[in-house]
Amino acid sequence: MHITFKLYASLTAYLPPERRSGNQMPLELPVGATVAEAVAPFALPMHLVHLVLINGHYVPPEQRASRVLNEGDVLAIWPPIAGG
């Protein structure tokens, strides 16, 4: 199955260099893949995986290992962000 994988802010550094300027890339995953399985190849530090959305809907940390992705989903991840 195919999804769109997006990383924001400092996490874009974990994308392949040619995908960083657009902050997203297509991913091909096996049917039944979870959020955790989609993220694993990118070696994101878990303390930086703060906000996870699938198609704009929040996925709580306790559901990320079991939440199954579907064809065409958009998986977006943000690090903790501070502002002032």
Side-chain angles (χ1 to χ4, degrees):
M1 82 175 152
H2 297 89
I3 70 161
T4 299
F5 183 59
K6 295 182 175 187
L7 294 176
Y8 290 91
S10 61
L11 294 180
T12 58
Y14 292 88
L15 290 172
E18 67 276 9
R19 297 292 184 174
R20 291 178 188 162
S21 66
N23 84 304
Q24 68 180 17
M25 64 180 289
L27 275 186
E28 185 172 342
L29 300 168
V31 172
T34 65
V35 170
E37 292 168 335
V39 172
F42 295 91
L44 299 174
M46 292 320 313
H47 71 280
L48 293 180
V49 176
H50 181 67
L51 181 63
V52 176
L53 301 176
I54 296 174
N55 303 325
H57 299 281
Y58 177 67
V59 180
E62 64 274 8
Q63 294 179 11
R64 295 173 189 170
S66 61
R67 174 62 164 80
V68 174
L69 294 158
N70 296 302
E71 177 72 31
D73 278 349
V74 176
L75 173 60
I77 301 174
W78 281 264
I81 297 180

